[in-house]
């Protein structure tokens, strides 16, 4: 379909882009056609995957093609090719979710997406009250001054106490840097690490972090993760500046890093003069009797950078997170970011700090945790009733999502499309793997932050009905 | 004082750090001692400047030494060495200003700092009203969903109209990316530019941008700027990905780039396949009859990235700015940042968009502009009355700051310290030069965003009195 001339003056990307575009315009590529996958086309043409990726992305932006559920691209205009901006779930502390844009899909009544919440979760009345108070006559001049790059002192003091009580984190407020999301914290770290542009991360792991590290020119060392934990042996020989991990609730498997592996990780960091970036992304949601202590609380050698967020406890649209820097990084931090200002509005921080100081935040977190504990329990119970031992649930006891493991050989792409037809959206695990193609095809990702208990039960029952032929 | 052993096991940085620290602890380096400058010490010891910088920064963080007005460091505890966290002005869209921490210097009654505003400037009542409305029962689910990475659609639509009317910027809302400050926008651009890690910027120019580019591993190509404009000839042969400039009101000189040079710049960008980053940091404050059109409005080849901010018109603590991407960068932007979310709280954006839609923002900007026009005029007039032709004012007709040029040979360090003793703070231009040492010593930087007309007059009169011996 596409012909490449490597000696031509036009770049490879443009050749691909222009030929497909003209094919669509002239009708020689019919509407609804499924284009070859990026990997396939790059192999066929003998060009880099990025080249094909770039051409497809440009065509998608211009509306010629649209991403197809699962994988690949369809030529726009075909009957089954509605243009969807967001096809993958929105994990951890970021998201491609296009709140201003996203066309509401009327037929999806049960969306097991991850990370978004019903608006009733947000404490609007308290927020309104504290906003009004913060803007009263006694407002300090901070309202119209550039802010401390680490964030409001009062909020950092609240956080210091909160993190110590809830997660055993030991730090002073001088080590805390308030940010506008995980991406902000990792941006700062990537710049702090400077020349050593190689980082380890879990595979599978949070794809947003992977994208960010790549954007900073970092190469990735993959740490194989599964339901039983994390393979750490390869770390010793890897020359990396840091390991980005989710030890308390591995994303997406949901496993907890054992105390033995925690110690191993801390020892490695000390011996190799590297850091551990501990992303405690859903720390508020522990349904087990004994909460897992943070890795930071075990660290005696200034090796752990602890990161947490208000995205799961208050709202992902609030854009407030926090990072605890080891003391040994503070001098470099102050030197390199001397002209930086906090990325978070002073008013937002002031309201949040008042909300915490009043005790309302702690009560809100307890309320949210018990609400989601019920949803978690209902999910587990309904799955057992509907699927018995045909489906294994990974990630129990914490968080806001599950991995569903089906018998090997199950065609999960077909499961997803059958669910979609019945108004239930479940998600592919592909984005979480370093190479999408490595993602096992017998896993499905389901979040339950957006649905209530009734909807969770109904959704799972529908899945049982439409999946009956596939998994029996 | 410090002895370096290049063969020792201890790093050079640690050797310097430990020797000075122990010298201070044992008293062999007396309190109040002025340490040799970074450049001087690095030359004396034959080590890199960064090494000395790092040692000094660590000592400063630990409270052993403190930055000295102008340059250098003093051993803490001496009579004239109060520990000041912020010694340089806070220009453009960021700042080291430590609102939560900064000890108020009681004796400074007239602070000609730049970029911070009196809190009375902020429209608190309107903000409270719109916040309450935005949090009312009809709040959309966006409140608890991850946000579009480009920002709220309604705010981008308001901005699109506003920028077209006020600055002639031509774009669709799909090209606008709302950010949490200039640093955010430049972060995105540094990652977008990828491999071509060399950028041109004005010298002198905004030091915050310089710090940021360095943090991303970019090297800098200096474009000499003075009161008459910008030297562009060196651009042709420079292999750079972008030129970061302030064409409407050069920072800090305040000159306006001529239409002839604008065209030259646009032609260069097209020929060399490079971009122009137009930082229109104080676009609201034009006191001349004819406002200068934005460079973006003249661009026909998708070469200009336009950046503006709400920091000067509403508050630097609001942390909202915006960037207009050329269409040709959109595909890369969407591909590389697919997992990113807006860095600005949905609620802040919603309130701002309501404030703009109601027409209040436009009125607020007009009010601020005429208030600061009066301050500008008073500044010009009082300077002329007090100093006659002994001081030349650069940057008239726009903005919120001036450069004061004294006769060559004037010792501005002495001027600054005499002013400080009399309760008036004025600022060094050193931070704006690529190499601080290149900063001419007959220039002084003064902002007038924080002082009212009466204070401006009083401050300048005091300066006349205490500077009388120096500049006559």
């Amino acid at each position: 379909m596409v012909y490449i001339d490597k000696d031509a003056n036009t770049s490879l990307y443009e050749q691909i882009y222009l030929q497909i575009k003209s094919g669509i315009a002239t009708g020689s590529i019919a509407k609804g056609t499924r284009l070859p996958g990026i990997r396939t086309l790059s192999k066929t043409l003998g060009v880099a995957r990025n080249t094909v990726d770039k051409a497809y992305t440009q065509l998608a932006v211009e509306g010629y093609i649209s991403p197809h559920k699962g994988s690949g691209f369809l030529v726009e205009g075909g009957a089954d090719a509605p243009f969807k901006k967001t096809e993958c779930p929105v994990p951890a502390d970021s998201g491609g979710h296009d709140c201003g844009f996203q066309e509401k899909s009327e037929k999806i009544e049960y969306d097991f997406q991850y990370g978004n919440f019903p608006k009733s979760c947000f404490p609007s009345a308290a927020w309104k009250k504290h906003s009004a108070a913060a803007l009263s006559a006694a407002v300090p001049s901070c309202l119209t001054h550039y802010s401390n790059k680490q964030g409001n002192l009062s909020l950092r003091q609240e956080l210091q106490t909160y993190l110590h009580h809830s997660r055993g984190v030991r730090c002073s407020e001088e080590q805390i840097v308030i940010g506008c999301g995980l991406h902000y914290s990792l941006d700062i770290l990537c710049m702090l690490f400077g020349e050593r542009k190689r980082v380890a991360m879990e595979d599978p792991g949070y794809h947003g972090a992977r994208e960010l590290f790549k954007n900073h020119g970092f190469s990735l060392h993959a740490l194989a993760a599964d339901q039983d934990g994390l393979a750490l042996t390869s770390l010793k020989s890897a020359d990396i500046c840091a390991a980005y991990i989710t030890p308390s609730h591995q994303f997406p498997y949901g496993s907890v890093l054992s105390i033995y592996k925690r110690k191993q990780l801390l020892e490695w960091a000390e011996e190799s003069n590297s850091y551990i970036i501990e992303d405690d992304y859903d720390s508020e949601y522990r349904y087990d009797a004994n909460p897992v202590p943070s890795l930071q609380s075990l660290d005696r050698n200034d090796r752990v950078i602890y990161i947490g967020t208000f995205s799961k406890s208050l709202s992902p649209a609030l854009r407030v997170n926090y990072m605890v820097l080891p003391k040994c990084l503070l001098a470099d931090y102050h030197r390199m970011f001397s002209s930086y200002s906090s990325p978070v509005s002073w008013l937002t921080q002031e309201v949040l700090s008042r909300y915490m100081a009043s005790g309302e935040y702690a009560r809100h977190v307890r309320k949210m945790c018990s609400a989601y504990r019920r949803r978690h329990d209902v999910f587990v119970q309904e799955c057992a009733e509907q699927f018995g031992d045909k489906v294994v649930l990974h990630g129990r006891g914490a968080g806001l999502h599950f991995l569903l493991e089906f018998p090997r050989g199950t065609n999960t792409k077909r499961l997803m499309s059958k669910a979609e037809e019945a108004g239930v959206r479940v998600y592919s695990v592909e984005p979480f793997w370093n190479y999408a193609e490595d993602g096992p095809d017998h896993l499905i990702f389901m979040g339950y932050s957006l649905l209530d208990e009734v909807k969770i039960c109904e959704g799972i029952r529908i899945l049982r009905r439409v999946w009956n032929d596939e998994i029996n």
Side-chain angles (χ1 to χ4, degrees), chain A:
Chain A
M1 185 170 76
V2 177
Y3 168 80
I4 284 293
D5 176 4
K6 294 207 169 172
D7 300 324
N9 281 327
T10 327
S11 72
L12 298 177
Y13 143 71
E14 272 181 298
Q15 293 184 42
I16 300 169
Y17 161 74
L18 289 170
Q19 286 179 58
I20 298 180
K21 186 166 148 177
S22 102
I24 295 171
T26 60
S28 68
I29 306 176
K31 286 180 176 182
T33 304
R34 181 158 177 175
L35 296 179
I38 290 171
R39 197 183 206 179
T40 313
L41 187 58
S42 70
K43 268 193 189 162
T44 315
L45 300 176
V47 302
R49 279 195 218 175
N50 267 350
T51 309
V52 179
D53 190 348
K54 197 174 165 185
Y56 276 16
T57 309
Q58 180 66 44
L59 289 163
V61 165
E62 295 179 12
Y64 287 100
I65 64 175
S66 62
H68 182 58
K69 181 93 201 156
S71 69
F73 287 84
L74 289 179
V75 174
E76 190 54 42
D80 55 349
F83 191 99
K84 290 189 205 102
K85 287 225 169 193
T86 307
E87 283 286 359
C88 71
V90 190
D93 191 41
S94 178
H97 239 300
D98 202 329
C99 197
F101 270 127
Q102 202 181 28
E103 298 155 39
K104 196 169 167 69
S105 177
E106 292 102 37
K107 59 172 202 161
I108 300 300
E109 200 175 342
Y110 307 89
D111 191 343
F112 284 93
Q113 65 174 245
Y114 174 72
N116 290 338
F117 293 83
K119 65 184 183 186
S120 55
C121 286
F122 191 76
S124 293
W127 207 261
K128 211 186 288 188
K129 176 185 77 182
H130 290 300
S131 297
L135 282 169
S136 73
V139 61
S141 58
C142 299
L143 179 68
T144 45
H145 282 46
Y146 279 97
S147 334
N148 185 306
K149 65 175 175 288
Q150 295 185 247
N152 292 15
L153 180 59
S154 59
L155 179 57
R156 286 184 283 135
Q157 285 166 338
E158 289 297 333
L159 266 171
Q160 192 256 326
T161 310
Y162 174 79
L163 290 175
H164 184 70
H165 283 307
S166 67
R167 307 293 294 130
V169 170
R170 294 169 309 161
C171 69
S172 80
E173 75 271 358
E174 296 199 359
Q175 294 171 255
I176 299 179
V177 180
I178 311 282
C180 54
L182 176 66
H183 285 71
Y184 176 83
S185 307
L186 295 182
D187 275 344
I188 295 280
L189 294 177
C190 284
M191 292 186 259
L192 269 176
F193 294 145
E195 298 300 300
R196 285 173 80 189
K197 286 193 177 296
R198 188 163 170 82
V199 76
M201 73 171 273
E202 297 150 332
D203 187 24
Y206 172 44
H207 60 284
R210 191 180 303 121
E211 183 174 66
L212 180 135
F213 288 128
K214 284 183 180 171
N215 283 346
H216 278 276
F218 278 60
S219 65
L220 294 174
H221 175 87
L223 297 174
D226 61 24
Q227 58 270 37
D228 300 320
L230 204 53
L232 296 177
T233 41
S234 68
L235 270 180
K236 290 237 167 183
S237 53
D239 180 29
I240 56 176
C241 59
Y244 165 82
I245 55 162
T246 51
S248 300
H249 194 226
Q250 202 276 331
F251 190 88
Y253 267 113
S255 49
V256 175
L257 200 65
S258 68
I259 188 72
Y260 169 73
K261 293 216 170 177
R262 280 166 193 253
K263 285 190 174 159
Q264 204 181 332
L265 203 54
L266 289 166
E267 277 163 19
W268 158 79
E270 199 197 343
E271 280 162 17
S272 62
N273 199 24
S274 308
Y275 292 94
I276 300 162
I277 305 171
E278 174 178 22
D279 186 359
D280 207 15
Y281 63 102
D282 61 3
S283 60
E284 295 81 11
Y285 299 98
R286 309 285 157 201
Y287 316 128
D288 294 334
N290 300 312
V292 190
S294 69
L295 199 53
Q296 203 267 5
S297 68
L298 302 173
D299 176 26
R300 294 288 173 277
N301 297 296
D302 248 17
R303 293 292 105 197
V304 174
I305 297 149
Y306 178 87
I307 299 181
T309 179
F310 288 98
S311 289
K312 307 284 181 291
S313 60
L314 278 170
S315 163
L318 192 63
R319 313 313 299 137
V320 186
N321 84 333
Y322 42 87
M323 161 166 78
V324 179
L325 287 174
K327 283 191 185 132
C328 58
L329 280 175
L330 290 179
D332 278 347
Y333 169 73
H334 287 296
R335 184 176 53 82
M336 289 177 63
F337 302 96
S338 68
S339 73
Y340 287 56
S341 201
S342 172
V344 183
S345 153
W346 176 84
L347 186 60
T348 302
Q349 296 187 57
E350 174 69 14
V351 172
L352 186 48
S353 119
R354 284 165 182 258
Y355 184 65
M356 292 183 85
S358 68
E360 288 160 289
Y361 178 68
R363 284 199 297 279
H364 176 77
V365 167
R366 282 196 298 273
K367 205 180 81 185
M368 291 284 282
C369 185
S370 64
Y372 280 97
R373 182 200 306 270
R374 287 193 298 273
R375 294 175 202 202
H376 165 276
D377 293 349
V378 154
F379 195 112
V380 171
Q381 193 185 333
E382 195 64 38
C383 258
E385 276 178 29
Q386 299 300 329
F387 299 112
D389 57 2
K390 299 219 179 61
V391 171
V392 180
L393 272 193
H394 296 293
R396 290 161 72 151
L400 302 164
H401 74 273
F402 288 109
L403 269 197
L404 279 68
E405 182 181 338
F406 296 87
R408 291 224 170 242
T410 308
N411 185 337
T412 50
K413 287 218 167 60
R414 206 153 58 213
L415 294 189
M416 284 188 279
S417 75
K418 286 201 165 185
E420 185 96 3
E421 280 163 26
V424 185
R425 185 166 287 161
V426 298
Y427 291 86
S428 162
V429 297
E430 265 188 21
F432 311 137
W433 261 263
N434 220 335
Y435 296 99
E437 296 86 355
D438 295 343
D441 54 10
H442 64 305
L443 294 177
I444 274 184
F445 181 86
M446 289 172 74
Y448 51 95
S449 52
L450 197 56
L451 302 178
D452 63 23
E453 292 160 56
V454 174
K455 291 267 183 192
I456 289 171
C457 286
E458 290 174 358
I460 293 173
R461 279 180 214 151
I462 295 172
L463 290 178
R464 155 74 184 280
R465 181 165 52 77
V466 299
W467 288 350
N468 211 29
D469 295 344
E470 304 288 331
I471 57 175
N472 265 311

